[in-house]
Amino acid sequence: MAQGGNGIDFLTIEDISPESKTLLVRADMNTPVDKHGRLIERMRIEEVAVTLRDLGRSKVVLCSHQGRVGRDDYISMEQHAKALSETLGKRVEFIDDVHGPAARRRISELNDGEILLLDNLRFCAEEAQEYRPEDAVKTQIVLKLASSFDGFVLDAFPTAHRAHPSIVGFPQLLPTAGGRLVAKELKSVSRIQQVAKGPYTAVLGGSKVSDRLEAITALIENKKADKVLLGGLAALAFLKAAGKYRSELGIADQDKAVQKAAALLSEYPEVFEMPVDLAYEHEGERREVDVADLDHHKALDIGTKTIQNYEKVIRSSGTVFMSGPAGAFEKEGFGKGTESLLRIMATSYGTTIVSGGHLSTALKLFNIHSWIDHVSSAGGALILYLAGKQLPLIKALSDSASRFRSGGYTKMSDNLKAQS
Ligand code: 3PG
């Protein structure tokens, strides 16, 4: 049994005696892709390898989601299997099925030490919906797969905020241990929380605007953000709400996002810092202008004056948390905002936390990874955890620990056998 800080109890891999058992491992290998659909980094794949190495003598079935429907990153897990095989130095077999007969047959044939990766969980529509645990258990993914396993390892910390069937359903039926990544994240965050002091500053960017807006509310309400420095598409939503940005944001729920940003601005006017200048592309080059002169150009990064303003706030903060790039940093010439803010954080005296796959990769690229107090591949999940929200994954783990202690799974395994 492990203590993850904040009084969270959860089972470890050792508690479920993994040797020779058939285990389902829910990881988060969701990775950004380039315009050809190729994975552009491997951080989350390397993280799951740590847990898999410790399950060396089990029959392991690994699963993860990848991307969102309608986006370029909504692809199969085939490349992940190859990348993971290279990282582990051992074969990871891929099957293009999630819970159909082919997957179930192959699972039943696995030998000790073998690893099978299922296809993208979100190819099943159920996996894009949020459920109460008692309903998640009735989804096809859970009904069809659970009886193939002796136990479940929940290691998808970056998906901890989603009540999807693979996160909250399986722990209802299978003894569920936290994987090594979950244990590491909870330990590090608990250490950070012991030393963190105000003023608290959140530097928020990236493209998941509605997630960011939800996170901002949670951070402010829980007194974890005295200042919010805005970058990425979230900044543009706030600028639009303030009548200062004319182009479209290019997101499906733009009106809702702008309305929400307007409400936040009027409720907490002193909290938000918005860009005063922005960068756009002109004949293939970066060009900066004050926000008032942007006209209809599409902003791709924050500008130099904004970086200077944000630097003052970051350097006078006790704790700084950054999630999501400040601009389109993967595009040549538009990484300046993101790189500058990360470098300022790395050399500031406050406690620093950087979250999300893009920023973790950028830190490695600039060689300043070790200068940040806590770097996490989780984005939205970590923000909500820091804001003090109860996350579905964490609740599933602690409920499983209580059920395990009270022998509740013994009766269940009979039910599962009856189902199969
Ligand atoms: C993430 O990258 O934040 C997680 O993988 C969750 O992805 P989602 O925001 O598409 O649910």
Side-chain angles (χ1 to χ4, degrees), residues 92-210:
V92 174
E93 184 185 333
F94 166 72
I95 187 159
D96 66 346
D97 189 12
V98 176
H99 59 60
R104 298 204 304 273
R105 191 174 328 109
R106 188 64 196 101
I107 295 168
S108 69
E109 295 162 357
L110 285 177
N111 293 312
D112 288 358
E114 288 186 333
I115 303 176
L116 175 72
L117 174 61
L118 302 178
D119 214 338
N120 186 348
L121 290 172
R122 289 189 181 167
F123 288 175
C124 303
E126 294 167 339
E127 187 63 15
Q129 307 287 330
E130 304 252 323
Y131 296 88
R132 294 179 308 166
E134 58 272 34
D135 295 327
V137 88
K138 296 176 197 146
T139 58
Q140 287 296 302
I141 294 185
V142 177
L143 287 173
K144 288 271 165 57
L145 285 180
S147 58
S148 303
F149 298 101
D150 304 306
F152 184 46
V153 178
L154 201 38
D155 208 20
F157 188 75
T159 329
H161 54 323
R162 308 279 184 227
H164 292 163
S166 68
I167 305 287
V168 299
F170 290 111
Q172 296 284 307
L173 302 175
L174 297 167
T176 301
R180 301 304 191 216
L181 177 65
V182 166
K184 176 179 152 241
E185 290 277 358
L186 296 184
K187 190 165 107 184
S188 305
V189 172
S190 152
R191 274 202 201 124
I192 295 265
Q193 282 171 332
Q194 281 162 26
V195 294
K197 58 176 189 326
Y200 294 92
T201 296
V203 187
L204 299 179
S207 57
K208 293 179 181 171
V209 181
S210 56

Side-chain angles (χ1 to χ4, degrees), residues 201-224:
T201 296
V203 187
L204 299 179
S207 57
K208 293 179 181 171
V209 181
S210 56
D211 284 359
R212 289 289 172 268
L213 291 167
E214 185 195 344
I216 287 171
T217 315
L219 286 167
I220 299 175
E221 281 172 358
N222 291 292
K223 314 234 171 308
K224 295 293 181 229

Side-chain angles (χ1 to χ4, degrees), residues 278-412:
L278 291 163
Y280 66 94
E281 190 172 22
H282 179 75
E283 295 174 357
E285 298 286 316
R286 176 185 175 102
R287 188 173 275 189
E288 292 190 8
V289 282
D290 286 351
V291 166
D293 302 323
L294 187 66
D295 200 19
H296 282 94
H297 293 292
K298 189 171 179 299
L300 293 175
D301 196 10
I302 56 173
T304 308
K305 293 180 198 161
T306 304
I307 296 169
Q308 285 162 357
N309 289 348
Y310 288 5
E311 174 165 12
K312 286 184 208 134
V313 182
I314 292 172
R315 292 207 187 281
S316 59
S317 299
T319 304
V320 190
F321 168 67
M322 179 168 177
S323 186
F329 90 113
E330 66 291 348
K331 199 170 160 60
E332 171 113 35
F334 296 93
K336 179 176 169 178
T338 304
E339 177 170 356
S340 307
L341 295 180
L342 287 173
R343 287 191 185 281
I344 293 163
M345 284 185 69
T347 54
S348 71
Y349 291 114
T351 300
T352 47
I353 306 164
V354 169
S355 105
H358 285 104
L359 293 187
S360 316
T361 309
L363 284 172
K364 286 214 172 106
L365 194 74
F366 309 141
N367 221 2
I368 49 174
H369 204 261
S370 59
W371 295 50
I372 302 291
D373 295 305
H374 179 53
V375 181
S376 168
S377 70
L382 184 66
I383 311 183
L384 294 174
Y385 185 64
L386 289 171
K389 286 253 171 188
Q390 188 187 53
L391 305 184
L393 176 142
I394 308 286
K395 177 151 185 359
L397 281 174
S398 66
D399 287 352
S400 179
S402 318
R403 188 173 287 148
F404 189 77
R405 273 194 293 254
S406 64
Y409 285 113
T410 323
K411 281 174 248 129
M412 267 188 216

